[in-house]
């Protein structure tokens, strides 16, 4: 049973003065804001505050700080480890109406946006300028949420993660004070790196309200290809050699046979139901051809078939939309079941062993669980398709998840490559980082949020 904080009448009245009818207390709205796209149970807040500016966030935070009311930031609700669950009740601050693109510099390849802008929105805005923002976690997540969870996705092998592409932030601290970090310079040696402290903090240290982002020119040529393999080991080993060779592939996505079956059924495709790699190449016309030829030679060494090309934009869009719909395709494999997504990331040299051992753990447990991965950087995902009413299935999934995380950490990897910690993985933090490092994290949390109001119950394990 969670210890829920009830909103007192004084706080409620003060919030209404600031927000009017944008303070919503309806059961349906609160329920929707208490659960992301994960197996974690819904934990609704007491109220949802729809804010429109950094100043409004600051005013709301000052009131909540004064009344010692917990706060949970909310972007698009696409998180996967219980990040938005209101463990202690309180107020959810919804930033979806902060969706303005404030400034774009095509000369400096950067932009400033409010936190509620989504990745599709920014790329639609940039397209006619010949620019794009490459971080693509699949879901049409808000950029503020993507920074808060240190998201990455399909393009990370070439363009990096949110950590690498956020130049600066505007953050409202727990006491309502406004802090600006970083700037527009591409490098700086001035002081502590507060931008990277906030990127990945999952709303536990402050609320990101604006972001300064790095942009890129749309490549002259883009081409995508699909390649099938006789078995999982061959596909992963081919990826390892491609990465070690240094070929600048933009995307390398692995889908095992279970996932390919799901994708074919859900997206009405007809690819062979075998382990498959999705590739995308960016560059000049000649550069793309050269990359594809080099990769083609490597995949043939490992028994890969001929490339099935998707060079037209509409074909590429269809291919990558099918990849992004993999979560829903997986859930569709079993009726009346739900998805339990998890991920780990390991050094590329350990990727083959980790994936193959994970596949065996899943099969030995008798679970339905496709594997999919951004394997170019050692990150892969498992989606357990489980009946939440079956204690046996849930226990088996939990055990496999535990074994997979333990294995990844033993390989020098991490319990989560991009989903974040939230509620679901905070129990692994000490095993991954050690007591001393987690103690420092706890001190940072205590220093910035002494009342423990910011997204309580997330990231930092209880003592």
């Amino acid at each position: 049973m969670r210890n829920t904080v009830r909103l007192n009448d004084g706080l409620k009245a003060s919030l209404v003065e600031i927000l009017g009818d944008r303070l919503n207390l309806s059961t349906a709205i609160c329920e929707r804001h208490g659960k992301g796209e994960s197996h974690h149970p819904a934990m609704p807040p007491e109220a949802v505050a729809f804010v429109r500016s950094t100043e409004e966030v600051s005013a709301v935070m000052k009131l909540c700080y004064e009344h010692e009311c917990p706060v949970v930031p909310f972007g698009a609700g696409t998180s996967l480890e219980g990040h938005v669950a209101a463990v202690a009740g309180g107020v959810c601050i919804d930033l979806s109406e902060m969706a303005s693109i404030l400034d774009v510099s095509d000369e400096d390849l950067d932009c400033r946006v409010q936190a509620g802008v989504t990745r599709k929105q920014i790329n639609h805005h940039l397209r006619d300028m010949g620019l794009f923002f490459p971080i693509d976690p699949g879901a049409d997540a808000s950029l503020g949420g993507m920074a808060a969870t240190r998201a990455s996705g399909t393009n990370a092998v070439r363009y990096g993660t949110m950590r690498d592409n956020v130049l600066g932030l505007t953050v409202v601290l727990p006491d309502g004070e406004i802090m600006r970090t970083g700037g527009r310079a591409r490098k700086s040696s001035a002081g502590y790196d507060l931008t990277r402290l906030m990127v990945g903090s999952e709303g536990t240290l402050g609320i990101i309200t604006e972001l300064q982002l790095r942009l890129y020119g749309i490549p002259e040529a883009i081409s995508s290809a699909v390649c099938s393999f006789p078995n999982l080991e061959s596909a992963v080993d081919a990826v390892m050699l491609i990465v070690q060779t240094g070929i600048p592939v933009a995307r390398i996505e692995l889908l095992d046979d279970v996932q390919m079956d799901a994708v074919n059924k859900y997206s009405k495709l007809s690819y062979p139901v075998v382990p498959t790699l999705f590739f995308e190449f960016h560059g000049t016309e000649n550069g793309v051809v050269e990359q594809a030829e080099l990769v083609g030679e490597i995949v043939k060494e490992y028994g890969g078939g001929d490339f099935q090309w998707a060079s037209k934009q509409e074909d590429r869009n269809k291919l990558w939309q099918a990849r992004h719909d993999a979560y829903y395709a997986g859930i569709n494999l079993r009726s009346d079941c739900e998805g339990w997504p998890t991920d780990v990331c390991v050094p590329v040299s350990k990727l083959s062993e980790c994936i193959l051992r994970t596949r065996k753990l899943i099969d030995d447990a008798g679970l339905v669980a496709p594997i999919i991965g951004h394997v170019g950087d050692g990150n892969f995902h498992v989606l357990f398709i489980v009946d939440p009413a079956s204690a046996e299935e849930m226990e088996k999934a939990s055990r496999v998840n535990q074994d997979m995380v333990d294995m990844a950490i033993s390989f020098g990897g991490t319990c989560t490559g991009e989903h974040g910690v939230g509620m679901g993985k905070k129990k692994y933090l000490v095993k991954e980082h050690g007591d001393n490092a987690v103690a420092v994290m706890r001190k940072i949390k205590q220093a910035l949020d002494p009342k423990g109001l910011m997204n309580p119950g997330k990231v930092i394990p209880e003592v």
Side-chain angles (χ1 to χ4, degrees):
M1 181 70 70
R2 60 184 178 138
N3 182 22
T4 303
V5 175
R6 308 296 300 188
L7 265 67
N8 62 56
D9 291 339
L11 174 57
K12 201 177 300 182
S14 297
L15 290 172
V16 169
E17 282 185 24
I18 297 169
L19 301 170
D21 60 5
R22 286 185 287 121
L23 181 72
N24 196 307
L25 289 87
S26 78
T27 300
I29 294 296
C30 289
E31 285 284 345
R32 186 172 70 80
H33 283 75
K35 183 175 174 62
E37 294 192 19
S38 72
H39 72 288
H40 296 284
M43 295 185 184
E46 299 298 305
V48 179
F50 291 88
V51 292
R52 291 177 178 168
S53 69
T54 296
E55 290 70 29
E56 280 192 349
V57 176
S58 174
V60 170
M61 282 303 309
K62 285 178 179 178
L63 285 170
C64 289
Y65 190 80
E66 177 187 344
H67 289 267
E68 300 192 357
C69 176
V71 171
V72 180
F74 188 97
T78 58
S79 58
L80 296 173
E81 288 292 353
H83 297 85
V84 299
V87 174
V91 174
C92 170
I93 296 184
D94 184 311
L95 295 107
S96 60
E97 294 186 23
M98 292 183 63
S100 296
I101 297 168
L102 303 171
D103 184 55
V104 176
S105 172
D106 56 355
E107 293 180 334
D108 291 314
L109 295 177
D110 65 15
C111 69
R112 187 164 63 93
V113 301
Q114 289 185 310
V117 173
T118 67
R119 68 170 186 86
K120 287 184 179 179
Q121 179 188 348
I122 186 63
N123 279 322
H124 178 77
H125 182 86
L126 295 171
R127 185 174 56 200
D128 291 342
M129 303 179 194
L131 302 173
F132 80 119
F133 182 68
I135 310 305
D136 180 5
D140 191 21
S142 68
L143 293 168
M146 287 167 60
T149 54
R150 203 185 298 136
S152 52
T154 58
N155 279 320
V157 65
R158 178 156 183 169
Y159 297 99
T161 72
M162 286 300 285
R163 180 188 66 185
D164 308 300
N165 290 283
V166 176
L167 298 170
L169 297 169
T170 300
V171 179
V172 176
L173 297 171
D175 61 1
E177 292 299 311
I178 298 171
M179 174 179 73
R180 290 179 173 83
T181 75
R184 296 182 60 205
R186 290 305 169 106
K187 62 180 181 179
S188 170
S189 302
Y192 299 143
D193 192 341
L194 297 178
T195 301
R196 283 179 174 59
L197 176 63
M198 290 296 167
V199 172
S201 62
E202 301 184 15
T204 62
L205 302 178
I207 298 178
I208 296 168
T209 60
E210 293 180 10
L211 306 92
Q212 190 81 32
L213 301 172
R214 185 190 303 262
L215 303 177
Y216 297 80
I218 295 174
E220 175 189 325
I222 301 174
S223 192
S224 299
V226 177
C227 183
S228 301
F229 287 80
N231 53 61
L232 197 54
E233 184 175 12
S234 298
V236 179
D237 287 346
V239 170
M240 289 170 58
L241 186 54
I242 291 166
V243 172
Q244 290 162 355
T245 304
I247 303 170
V249 181
R251 309 195 213 199
I252 312 176
E253 297 289 295
L254 168 71
L255 292 77
D256 75 351
D257 56 332
V258 181
Q259 186 67 72
M260 285 304 300
D261 183 41
V263 164
N264 280 344
K265 291 174 180 175
Y266 187 82
S267 298
K268 297 179 173 56
L269 300 175
S270 56
Y271 292 113
V273 182
V274 293
T276 301
L277 294 177
F278 287 11
F279 293 99
E280 188 162 276
F281 306 99
H282 292 181
T284 63
E285 293 284 355
N286 290 336
V288 164
V289 170
E290 182 182 4
Q291 291 170 37
E293 288 176 349
L294 291 171
V295 170
E297 290 173 7
I298 291 173
V299 299
K300 279 186 169 55
E301 289 181 29
Y302 289 93
D306 292 335
F307 283 162
Q308 297 183 52
W309 288 100
S311 297
K312 294 181 181 178
Q313 183 171 344
E314 56 268 32
D315 294 334
R316 292 201 311 272
N317 290 345
K318 184 178 181 181
L319 175 67
W320 292 109
Q321 188 60 52
R323 162 61 186 90
H324 290 329
D325 287 341
Y327 176 84
Y328 306 104
I331 294 173
N332 204 48
L333 286 172
R334 294 181 67 193
S335 59
D336 300 321
C337 289
E338 65 179 28
W340 176 340
T342 185
D343 82 313
V344 295
C345 189
V346 296
V348 173
S349 63
K350 294 291 186 181
L351 183 62
S352 180
E353 183 179 356
C354 197
I355 289 181
L356 292 172
R357 284 172 60 179
T358 298
R359 182 74 262 169
K360 187 174 189 308
L361 288 169
I362 294 167
D363 294 342
D364 288 350
L367 295 169
V368 176
I371 293 177
I372 192 166
H374 316 310
V375 287
D377 53 16
N379 180 208
F380 70 94
H381 307 250
V382 173
L383 179 61
F384 302 109
I385 314 300
V386 289
D387 178 0
S390 170
E392 181 183 7
E393 280 192 24
M394 298 298 282
E395 192 279 328
K396 285 181 178 180
S398 178
R399 188 171 67 248
V400 172
N401 183 50
Q402 172 85 51
D403 291 344
M404 181 177 72
V405 168
D406 288 345
M407 176 169 46
I409 292 173
S410 74
F411 288 159
T414 175
C415 66
T416 173
E418 61 183 15
H419 289 182
V421 176
M423 295 191 302
K425 291 198 169 172
K426 65 181 182 178
K427 63 184 177 182
Y428 304 120
L429 224 56
V430 170
K431 180 173 290 187
E432 179 172 333
H433 294 292
D435 288 316
N436 290 342
V438 172
V440 171
M441 294 181 199
R442 195 172 282 116
K443 288 176 182 177
I444 293 171
K445 168 72 171 172
Q446 177 65 25
L448 293 179
D449 184 21
K451 295 185 180 182
L453 302 179
M454 291 302 308
N455 209 4
K458 318 296 167 52
V459 183
I460 305 298
E462 290 78 13
V463 179

